[in-house]
Amino acid sequence: MPRSRPASSPWSSPSSRLSARLLTAVVGATALVATGGVAHAAPARTTTIAGTLLRWLPSGTARFAQRTAPASAPQSVRVYLAPRGGLSALQAAVAGVSTPGSPSYGHFLSQPQYEAAYGPTQAAATTVSRYLTSAGLHVDSVEADRRYVAATGTREQLQRAFGVTLASFTHDGAQVVAPTTAASLPTDVAADVLTVSGLDTSVQRMTSQRVTESTTSAAAATDDAADRTAAAASAAGVRQPVVAPPAASVVGRPCTQFYGGVLAKYQADYKTPLPTFGGQTPSYALCGYTAPQLSNGIGGDTGTTGAGVTVGIVDAYNSSTIVKDTDTWSTAYGWPAFTKNQYSTWSAGTFTDQEACDASGWTGEQTLDVQAVHALRPAAGIRYYAAANCDDGLVDALAAVVDENRADVVTNSWGGLETDTGADAVFAYEQIFLQGALQGQTFLFSSGDNGDETASTGTKQVDYPTSDPYVTSVGGTSTGLGKGVRNVVAETGWGTDVFTLNAQGNGWVDGGYLYGAGGGYSTLFPRPAWQAATVPTSAPTGRGVPDIASIADPQTGMLVGQTQTFPDGVRYGEYRIGGTSLASPLAAGAVAEAVQASGKRAGLANATLYSIARSAYTDVKTSGVKGVVRANYVNGIDPSGGISYTVRTWGQDSTLAVAKGWDPVTGLGRPSATFARTLGKALAK
């Protein structure tokens, strides 16, 4: 994956400040590196290329392996081209169309207009291609819209072309090749270059932000079979391969159809008592909200169903049964099935790295995203973008989103750690987000499922791309819907500690933190101007994550339908799923409602979201609910192997906590019934 960098605000250059900071951080560290090779000096009158100094290099040099990379080993790079007129001019234009009160607010461009005004020029692509060829590299391709020039060369050729020394490192448990300094290019060539990726061969694989729990022996066996199928397809390089269905998951009983409908007084036999928890008799967990429940509960008040609006969904890989599964699931609950051409797909064609990326698992993400959008906006068009893998493929799929310019709102339920994100990755992503913003497209990203990430990584941090100021970050809630329309009977931020029923069946044993909505403060991006009056001044100065929120807690999750691998074969089944993977498409449905109501795209909506009336949000606060009881089938499939009982608490999200106003779990809050109407009026001005 390409790597990253921040800005003084989302309306100024994000490149120079981080590059300078990283350059300072790495001074002295490179002196520790004995490469065993010869550094090649860059030609006279060179310019350092932003985003090419590695953030992890100081720690990497401490673990430097004396073995150097083979000089003849081929290595591929992407040289990203600068936008026409320069990055600052593009950012200024985005600020204009995205800031309420600006003369150009809401005056979006078509894709051809964007290309004519800001797309990298053919002359730039030619200049860079000729230089790379002269340095001995093979130019593999120029991206269709000239975002980058892809080239391949040996280690020696790359060193000569970019004025670096490439050394071998042990990084994150893998042997990688990486430059010990920032890259540089002749000044006349550098003028056309945004950044370079691929000099560092470490890989940042994005993961989907969904939560299911069916880790059983039976499920593991079928999952192993699915992995073997995926590995074979990946090795074969098959175009449009059939990705193996995931291991089956079945919702354990007892569960409840609506919050509080079944109190956990007894075990599944309705005879054996369960102990109280914190002085309360908790509700059993939800079986999973159906499409009508979600529409009635949080669907808004405009009466719109998404007609005329297209929601884009970007994930890796593609389920061959998604349309059939969604129609089966819809019909089962009295919801409209897809009409002709309502669902469409863009695909990378050849899928790669299926085993490493867990391709089968991504089909579960796709199912959740598609069905969550369809639940809230059943008449909206859905355009699914199937990336080739969970690394560079996602960048390419996002590029297709803006180049097609068909999607009004785009939901993304995946991400990676900010500390794993290199400066070149941010350049690669942001050139796409900036184009989308000028075209009026809204990008939403889930905030993550591991709270402040301390439990999973040992370091308090946020995820990326959700931390980027050019996207809208979506956090998560635990939301109990009762019977009726818009009947939220209990709600707080999603954060879960787990307590297991003891052997005597008369108490609960604390198992510690399990999961919760991602959030916190970026170390890559300063606090944007539109957060200045909202995020507490006592908080760290980085960009606050998230911006808004929706239902995420798996215990109040969604019931989806998908073809799965059961012990006795492959067939359709339904299961409960949650995570901020659910929150992002639900939030996208709310934005799509506003787009339909106003007749205008929202674009980069953050400045507008922070400026509209707070009544547009349900301010999520601390709840009196201590938790719910969840019953899980031990074998993951049926009660024959026994049932385990746990309490899943509410509102315990590592060090993150909900509060009045904006907070790092739910942001401004969950869109209220009046959200679309309020946002729509702002967009229509």
Side-chain angles (χ1 to χ4, degrees), residues 30-53:
T30 55
L32 301 175
V33 182
T35 65
V38 179
H40 293 266
R45 296 187 67 249
T46 62
T47 298
T48 299
I49 303 303
T52 57
L53 191 65

Side-chain angles (χ1 to χ4, degrees), residues 359-670:
S360 294
W362 278 91
T363 65
E365 180 63 63
Q366 176 185 1
T367 300
L368 171 61
D369 295 347
V370 169
Q371 293 177 5
V373 170
H374 192 58
L376 251 59
R377 304 272 85 82
I382 295 177
R383 179 73 168 165
Y384 178 72
Y385 293 82
N389 54 48
C390 61
D391 181 23
D392 280 339
L394 290 166
V395 178
D396 294 337
L398 286 168
V401 172
V402 296
D403 289 341
E404 288 190 341
N405 198 23
R406 291 176 57 170
D408 304 294
V409 183
V410 188
T411 176
N412 302 268
S413 293
W414 46 268
L417 297 172
E418 202 178 64
T419 53
D420 288 345
T421 303
D424 53 335
V426 177
F427 278 108
Y429 279 109
E430 281 192 355
Q431 63 168 345
I432 297 168
F433 300 151
L434 289 164
Q435 179 176 342
L438 272 188
Q439 295 172 179
Q441 296 173 291
T442 304
F443 287 88
L444 298 95
F445 276 83
S446 54
S447 69
D449 295 342
N450 295 301
D452 65 9
E453 295 288 359
T454 301
S456 57
T457 70
T459 301
K460 185 182 294 187
Q461 60 180 301
V462 294
D463 288 4
Y464 186 85
T466 196
S467 65
D468 198 295
Y470 291 111
V471 306
T472 298
S473 177
V474 185
T477 66
S478 300
T479 303
L481 299 177
K483 293 181 178 179
V485 177
R486 283 179 283 283
N487 186 19
V488 176
V489 297
E491 186 166 50
T492 190
W494 172 41
T496 303
D497 285 0
V498 62
F499 291 76
T500 305
L501 185 65
N502 65 20
Q504 295 75 33
N506 59 6
W508 303 99
V509 180
D510 189 351
Y513 181 71
L514 185 61
Y515 44 40
Y521 306 91
S522 173
T523 58
L524 289 181
F525 306 99
R527 185 173 302 159
W530 31 264
Q531 283 191 328
T534 306
V535 176
T537 56
S538 59
T541 57
R543 186 260 203 266
V545 174
D547 299 307
I548 58 177
S550 195
I551 301 173
D553 189 342
Q555 282 62 243
T556 65
M558 179 179 173
L559 192 67
V560 300
Q562 183 181 7
T563 297
Q564 303 168 71
T565 305
F566 288 84
D568 59 352
V570 175
R571 65 176 186 274
Y572 173 87
E574 296 176 351
Y575 59 96
R576 175 184 54 212
I577 190 168
T580 53
S581 277
L582 172 58
S584 183
L586 292 178
V591 176
E593 182 186 8
V595 171
Q596 183 183 1
S598 66
K600 292 192 65 176
R601 282 182 166 185
L604 174 58
N606 291 349
T608 306
L609 292 174
Y610 280 81
S611 69
I612 60 178
R614 291 297 181 262
S615 60
Y617 307 98
T618 297
D619 188 6
V620 181
K621 302 174 185 176
T622 302
S623 169
V625 175
K626 297 183 183 297
V628 297
V629 172
R630 175 162 166 163
N632 278 356
Y633 294 143
V634 174
N635 65 14
I637 302 300
D638 57 45
S640 64
I643 301 175
S644 65
Y645 299 90
T646 58
V647 169
R648 308 296 179 93
T649 64
W650 282 25
Q652 293 183 286
D653 196 12
S654 56
T655 64
L656 308 177
V658 295
K660 183 178 180 180
W662 184 94
D663 62 62
V665 180
T666 65
L668 294 165
R670 180 177 54 77

Side-chain angles (χ1 to χ4, degrees), residues 3 54 146 193 199 309 335 529 531 548 562 633 678:
R3 302 285 174 237
L54 303 181
R146 298 185 293 276
V193 174
L199 293 173
V309 180
W335 210 239
Q531 283 191 328
I548 58 177
Q562 183 181 7
Y633 294 143
T678 305

Side-chain angles (χ1 to χ4, degrees), residues 302-321:
T302 66
T304 61
T305 58
V309 180
T310 297
V311 177
I313 297 170
V314 179
D315 285 320
Y317 312 110
N318 191 19
S319 167
S320 60
T321 61

Side-chain angles (χ1 to χ4, degrees), residues 251-341:
V251 181
R253 264 62 176 177
C255 58
T256 180
Q257 299 299 315
F258 57 90
Y259 180 77
V262 179
L263 295 181
K265 294 181 179 180
Y266 302 100
Q267 296 186 20
D269 60 7
Y270 291 98
K271 295 179 181 178
T272 306
L274 285 170
T276 59
F277 180 79
Q280 296 180 349
T281 299
S283 170
Y284 267 110
L286 274 296
C287 301
Y289 292 129
T290 64
Q293 281 181 294
L294 288 170
S295 180
N296 289 332
I298 62 170
D301 69 348
T302 66
T304 61
T305 58
V309 180
T310 297
V311 177
I313 297 170
V314 179
D315 285 320
Y317 312 110
N318 191 19
S319 167
S320 60
T321 61
I322 184 64
V323 173
K324 180 181 178 181
D325 289 344
T326 302
D327 285 347
T328 300
W329 167 84
S330 297
T331 302
Y333 297 99
W335 210 239
F338 282 137
T339 59
K340 184 178 181 181
N341 300 324

